[in-house]
Amino acid sequence: MLVTGSVLSAATAFRVGASCLELLVKRTPPLVRLAVLASVGPADTGKAEAAFRDDLLALVRDSTEASWRELRRGADDLAVFTRPDEEQTEQPPRRPYRVKP
Amino acid sequence: MSNTPISSDDVIAQLGAAGDIQLLRQRLATWLESVDDELREPLAWAFAGTPKHFRPLTLFACHRAVNGTSAAAEAVELAFAVELMHNMSLIVDDVLDGSDERRGIATIQLKFGRLTALMASGYLVADAFEAFAEDSFAVHHLSELLRRLGAAECLQWRLRRQPLGVEDWRRIAGEDTGSMFEICAVLGARSERLRQYGHLLGVLYHGCDDVGDQRGLEALGGGGEEDIRDGILTLPAALAIRDPQIRELFTTQDDDPQRLTILADACRAQLDDAEMTLDRIADSARTEAEQFAEDPQPLLALVDHVRQLSRR
């Protein structure tokens, strides 16, 4: 169980990192564009500012949601991989000792 | 984009929940026979019209996604309690908004008066809790729902005419409609597994309602004009007020028809962006369903049907 737990923890940590990284790679360029527009744009700076706030908060929320999802997935995997074999649970219950007559 | 109107019963049949919803309707009819004579007529009125039953559909879909079978008697009883709670929230909403119409007919407060409406809402809560008094799991989650709905109503009212954004809208939608769908998902699955799915489905429903209202369609009842007049932060409004001039108009409080017309036009101009936002929310809900349900098909079908609501 220790080995399984360690492997799954590592896999979960990797997946959390990967999903956050993917979001950052996808969302950062438009965010930078909006930041520039909001700071030095010729017009519509107010609009760009509001859009920047929305997109930045969306990135933070999506990152936390993705991390939370991966953590729950990791917990599910741990439950599945450490579940006792079905054969074992299907065996009829045995009495550990016999009561003397 | 299809403009063909689809009835609620068609949607229910397409989701394979006709039998479950029939059981729910029977349960509601039996309950109505047993209520106090003084409130029978207004309570029957609360369940008249054409309810869409999306909340019980969520509960049944989550039950099926986890158990692989149609709803058991227990799930029907929980759906019954959720329907009572939902109708309570509608009555209170109508009293607060001073609405005259709901689901194509007069509201309870218009037909029977404010006192009767408020007493009927209390009666619904009492009977909802009595329906599963022995089920501590359900009591715990319905209590959570009641607390969150109350706080969400205050939050939405406090944040009227504020220069906020899409993420603030998501917070309001998540606590208002999202909490109801969340609890339906938890009760249906009898676990926390599908809570986030329910949350996202509720936010999606709320957004589709906002956009559908803005399109001036009757699919979801109500109308976008009231929200604009009251300064409610809908999804199209959250996008429109990124423009500083529109933001200023949105934060003003008066009944100037010209201001309201400009705001309505600005909101309508954001419908494509709003649809894209809704698509992203729908995608997140699908991901949740695929990752956490034994059989995600009923949940995916429900997302598709809810997503269509903004386009009818």
Side-chain angles (χ1 to χ4, degrees):
Chain A
M1 197 174 292
L2 191 65
V3 176
T4 313
S6 305
V7 171
L8 285 174
S9 298
T12 302
F14 176 77
R15 284 199 299 240
V16 167
S19 52
C20 289
L21 192 66
E22 189 189 339
L23 275 169
L24 274 173
V25 167
K26 210 190 293 179
R27 305 271 187 89
T28 303
L31 260 179
V32 170
R33 210 172 303 132
L34 279 172
V36 171
L37 265 177
S39 315
V40 294
D44 277 350
T45 52
K47 210 170 173 177
E49 242 177 65
F52 177 78
R53 176 181 181 267
D54 275 343
D55 288 3
L56 181 66
L57 288 173
L59 174 61
V60 173
R61 183 186 38 72
D62 285 345
S63 304
T64 55
E65 277 179 11
S67 308
W68 178 229
R69 189 183 303 139
E70 292 304 342
L71 287 172
R72 282 182 291 146
R73 192 176 157 194
D76 274 5
D77 289 347
L78 185 65
V80 169
F81 285 113
T82 56
R83 197 170 287 159
D85 291 340
E86 281 182 14
E87 282 174 21
Q88 212 177 326
T89 54
E90 278 172 8
Q91 282 175 355
R94 274 190 224 147
R95 292 166 69 183
Y97 58 91
R98 292 185 69 83
V99 178
K100 289 186 190 298
Chain B
M1 193 182 292
S2 166
N3 290 322
T4 315
I6 302 174
S7 75
S8 300
D9 283 345
D10 288 342
V11 172
I12 290 164
Q14 284 171 21
L15 290 169
D20 298 338
I21 293 293
Q22 185 55 32
L23 289 172
L24 172 63
R25 285 175 177 156
Q26 282 168 7
R27 178 68 180 91
L28 284 166
T30 313
W31 166 75
L32 272 171
E33 286 168 14
S34 71
V35 300
D36 193 289
D37 289 345
E38 196 65 44
L39 282 165
R40 182 168 300 125
E41 199 187 344
L43 287 171
W45 193 260
F47 289 88
T50 48
K52 296 176 290 296
H53 291 310
F54 267 102
R55 289 152 188 86
L57 282 173
T58 303
L59 194 150
F60 292 142
C62 290
H63 177 90
R64 211 170 311 134
V66 170
N67 299 301
T69 58
S70 278
E74 182 194 63
V76 173
E77 198 63 11
L78 288 169
F80 161 70
V82 165
E83 273 296 85
L84 297 193
M85 284 294 199
H86 172 51
N87 278 275
M88 172 278 296
S89 72
L90 296 183
I91 294 172
V92 173
D93 261 9
D94 289 340
V95 170
L96 292 174
D97 298 343
S99 302
D100 293 340
E101 197 182 297
R102 166 77 63 184
R103 293 171 180 158
I105 57 173
T107 55
I108 294 190
Q109 63 141 356
L110 183 71
K111 191 169 167 64
F112 301 94
R114 178 180 283 213
L115 181 138
T116 306
L118 289 174
M119 295 308 115
S121 68
Y123 199 102
L124 289 171
V125 174
D127 272 6
F129 273 99
E130 191 164 34
F132 46 78
E134 307 297 317
D135 182 347
S136 61
F137 180 83
V139 169
H140 172 74
H141 286 95
L142 262 288
S143 305
E144 178 197 331
L145 173 64
L146 207 52
R147 283 193 296 270
R148 287 176 67 183
L149 283 177
E153 195 64 48
C154 295
L155 176 75
Q156 190 172 41
W157 203 244
R158 182 170 60 80
L159 296 184
R160 282 178 313 148
R161 298 193 186 89
Q162 299 288 318
L164 302 169
V166 174
E167 287 301 308
D168 304 291
W169 168 81
R170 272 191 80 134
R171 185 177 155 216
I172 294 169
E175 284 307 296
D176 183 3
T177 318
S179 63
M180 181 79 84
F181 281 76
E182 232 182 277
I183 297 302
C184 287
V186 171
L187 293 177
R190 296 294 292 188
S191 77
E192 297 286 321
R193 271 184 91 75
L194 297 173
R195 182 184 274 270
Q196 182 64 7
Y197 165 82
H199 176 83
L200 291 164
L201 190 69
V203 173
L204 180 66
Y205 186 92
H206 192 110
C208 288
D209 190 15
D210 284 354
V211 173
D213 279 353
Q214 202 61 60
R215 288 192 191 285
L217 301 180
E218 297 294 322
L220 298 167
E225 294 85 2
E226 282 180 10
D227 286 341
I228 289 172
R229 185 200 61 204
D230 293 338
I232 299 291
L233 190 73
T234 62
L235 176 56
L239 290 162
I241 62 174
R242 284 175 173 176
D243 183 330
Q245 287 174 330
I246 301 298
R247 196 181 311 155
E248 204 179 318
L249 291 175
F250 183 77
T251 52
T252 307
Q253 185 176 359
D254 62 31
D255 284 333
D256 177 9
Q258 198 186 353
R259 180 183 74 89
L260 297 178
T261 306
I262 295 171
L263 274 175
D265 289 345
C267 288
R268 260 193 291 278
Q270 297 298 326
L271 290 181
D272 287 346
D273 279 358
E275 295 284 8
M276 285 195 316
T277 304
L278 293 173
D279 282 338
R280 283 196 292 272
I281 297 169
D283 285 344
S284 301
R286 289 188 191 101
T287 306
E288 279 289 325
E290 279 160 359
Q291 213 149 75
F292 296 104
E294 302 288 325
D295 173 15
Q297 283 314 315
L299 307 183
L300 297 175
L302 193 56
V303 172
D304 292 341
H305 276 287
V306 170
R307 182 66 194 88
Q308 290 299 316
L309 291 173
S310 71
R311 294 161 176 160
R312 282 182 197 149

